[in-house]
Each structure stands twice: as structure tokens, then as C-alpha cells.
Amino acid sequence: MIFSLVPELGREDAEPLPEQSIANQLRSEVAAAGKKQLVISSEYLSLGDSCSKLLDWLTAHEFSDPGDSTALVVVRDPILRASSLYNQRVKDPLVGETRSPDDFLHQEAKKQCYSSIIQNLMRHHISTQIIAYEPSSSLVERVLLAAGATTDEIPETSQRRNVSLAKHVLVAMLAVNRVVPEIQRRRMYFAAISKARPAFQPANNIFSSQATAWALSVFQRDLAIPSLTAGMKSGASQSEKVSQHNKTEPDEDFLLLTEGERMLIENAVRTSGLDWKNVSKEIDVLAGISRNRNQL
């Protein structure tokens, strides 16, 4: 729906549908559900004017009345959110992120400010409600309750955890993205490399201390808004979170794999019959960048 109604957000793996087809499918789903509240969820709704465009379309097709919609904005610790976004971009074969973590943070941090998203929603007179990301295990339940569901209407679902790539998998896929241009082959590498257990871990700070300090100065606009600060809490006050980021010294050689991590990746790649030589060379290049980060 989002990719069809906001074409500029389209992806190669998204098949756009005619508006009438979307309207017909949505009417069928609403009729089958028999509920008064409609929940449409997409991270892409935070980009540009996509949210206002969607609401205008829903109003034009009589799915909602003007002013009868609320944007539920899920917020989390800004550094961990940036780490998670970077992981997703490296993992996604269509995106194939090639920038180093610090380069990504310096170029994207200003675009990730929640305050900009909130201001854009206010500019279009869209009612907004802030929801904390943590604890992530209960996020779906809290979103549905905020949307008007009752406790007995919450479906029983298996607990899901939004996990990021383990360090060695992230570094290996970054190397793959830099030397393998074909999307399908990147998918093959990811399938192979993700078998090098452990392949996933909770999001953590993957950026250097210098980049982290710079990004926190950018995110001060968010930290100055009480409702956003409260929403970012995850078992600690926001001041404690900021202090934690400042005190934590991220691994300045994050892109440098240990011998054991390197062997895990090499075995996974070679076992799958994929090329290791070029990937290995690029990992060395990345490690060199990491060791000389302070000079960049």
C-alpha cells in the first residue's frame, strides 16, 4: 500500500498496485475484521510527507474522516536506533549499504531526528501519540491498545525480538556489499554467512566514541522534548542513557575481526561455494579503515 501510494519510496521487490485495487482489498479486509479502528503500520510512514499522503488517500476513499486519525510514533534510544538502521541497511540485499558505520552516522543522523518527524506531522495537523519502543517484547500489544483495542482483543502471538547482525556477520556483509554488485548474489552470501553462529545479537553501539559524541549533539533537539525523552526510556532515565553513551568506549577497531570470527565467515562462505578471496581482501581494507579511523 505505502509503496503504491507513495511511489518515490518504491523498492525493486515491491509490486505497485492500482489505487482502485488497493481500495477494494482494503474494503474487503475492513469488512471481514468488523472493527472501527484501522491500523496501518510501516516504518516508511516516517519519511517525508508519506503519512499525510496516506491519510489524504484514506479520507478521499471514505475510510476515515478528516482529523479522525492518529499517528503512533514509536521512539527509542537514538544511538541504538541508528545502529539498528545501519544493520538493516547492510543486511538488506536491495540496499546493500557500503558506508562504514561512522560515515553512515555522520551522513544520516540529522535525517533520523524524531523532532523533524513530529514537526512534519504537526505541519499537516496530524494528531500524534508517542509510544516507547522498549520493552520491545510488548510493543505490538501496546501499539494495539493505543489504537483502541481492548485487552481481550489482543491476539496471542509468539514473542518477537528485533535483533541486529552479530559483529562478524555485519563486517562480512559490509565487505560483500562493496565487492558484489548483484542483488541475488548478495542474498546468497547472506544466506551463507548468517549460518556462522551466532549470527544475530541485540542492537548495541557500533559507532566510534567520536562519532557517538557528535551524533548526540545532533540528537539534542530530540532530547529537549519531554514526550520524546520519556518515550526513549528503557529501564533508565534519558540522562543516564546519554551518560552511558558518553562513558562507553565503543571498539575503535569494530571492523577488525578476530581470527576466530574470520574463520567462521571463511568456512561459511567456502562451504557454500562462494568466492572468499575478494571478500577477504575487502575485510582487510575495512580493518585498515578501522585502525586509521582517527586520521579520517
Side-chain angles (χ1 to χ4, degrees):
M1 172 186 285
I2 305 304
F3 294 144
S4 297
L5 298 180
V6 192
E8 58 267 30
L9 299 178
R11 291 166 52 98
E12 290 184 28
D13 58 350
E15 181 180 348
L17 299 172
E19 288 191 26
Q20 191 57 51
S21 177
I22 296 174
N24 292 340
Q25 289 189 38
L26 191 54
R27 286 195 181 92
S28 296
E29 291 183 23
V30 171
K35 302 294 181 181
K36 294 182 179 180
Q37 291 91 355
L38 173 65
V39 179
I40 300 175
S41 175
S42 171
E43 293 181 0
Y44 288 85
L45 287 174
S46 66
L47 302 177
D49 294 334
S50 54
C51 189
S52 60
K53 289 180 179 179
L54 171 65
L55 292 182
D56 288 344
W57 184 88
L58 291 172
T59 301
H61 288 78
E62 300 182 339
F63 286 105
S64 67
D65 296 324
D68 194 31
S69 299
T70 300
L72 304 177
V73 182
V74 179
V75 299
R76 70 185 299 191
D77 176 88
I79 297 297
L80 296 185
R81 177 175 181 244
S83 294
S84 178
L85 287 170
Y86 180 76
N87 265 272
Q88 295 298 325
R89 291 183 62 89
V90 172
K91 181 168 59 175
D92 191 331
L94 281 173
V95 177
E97 179 63 63
T98 59
R99 290 171 290 183
S100 69
D102 279 8
D103 287 343
F104 168 84
L105 189 62
H106 277 101
Q107 294 173 25
E108 300 293 333
K110 293 180 181 179
K111 303 176 186 177
Q112 305 304 328
C113 288
Y114 288 112
S115 52
S116 299
I117 297 173
I118 301 299
Q119 290 168 2
N120 190 49
L121 293 172
M122 292 176 61
R123 187 164 58 250
H124 290 91
H125 307 288
I126 300 172
S127 175
T128 304
Q129 181 174 341
I130 307 297
I131 299 178
Y133 174 83
E134 300 290 357
S136 59
S137 58
S138 62
L139 178 59
V140 172
E141 176 182 351
R142 287 182 285 117
V143 166
L144 293 178
L145 290 174
T150 58
T151 304
D152 60 324
E153 290 177 317
I154 303 299
E156 293 184 10
T157 58
S158 58
Q159 181 174 330
R160 296 184 59 191
R161 295 184 63 197
N162 183 17
V163 292
S164 297
L165 299 178
K167 169 189 170 181
H168 55 290
V169 176
L170 178 63
V171 173
M173 281 308 303
L174 179 57
V176 168
N177 291 343
R178 290 185 168 194
V179 298
V180 180
E182 302 86 5
I183 294 173
Q184 187 54 40
R185 282 184 59 78
R186 289 203 291 264
R187 285 197 177 99
M188 295 170 62
Y189 272 98
F190 179 71
I193 292 173
S194 60
K195 295 177 182 177
R197 309 294 185 187
F200 303 96
Q201 65 182 22
N204 55 36
N205 186 359
I206 62 175
F207 309 110
S208 70
S209 55
Q210 296 96 328
T212 298
W214 174 84
L216 284 173
S217 68
V218 172
F219 293 133
Q220 284 303 313
R221 286 191 304 168
D222 289 352
L223 303 181
I225 301 176
S227 60
L228 288 177
T229 302
M232 292 177 193
K233 289 180 180 179
S234 55
S237 71
Q238 185 57 35
S239 61
E240 290 171 337
K241 273 290 184 182
V242 174
S243 176
Q244 174 185 334
H245 286 313
N246 287 332
K247 289 181 180 178
T248 300
E249 289 295 331
D251 184 0
E252 298 299 336
D253 279 331
F254 176 81
L255 298 175
L256 180 61
L257 299 185
T258 66
E259 183 177 352
E261 291 170 336
R262 196 182 184 94
M263 287 184 63
L264 280 174
I265 296 299
E266 180 176 358
N267 290 337
V269 172
R270 290 189 184 278
T271 300
S272 298
L274 299 169
D275 172 56
W276 166 248
K277 183 178 180 181
N278 289 334
V279 174
S280 175
K281 288 181 178 179
E282 191 58 37
I283 288 177
D284 290 338
V285 171
L286 289 169
I289 291 175
S290 178
R291 282 191 292 270
N292 292 288
R293 178 180 277 154
N294 291 335
Q295 299 176 15
L296 296 180

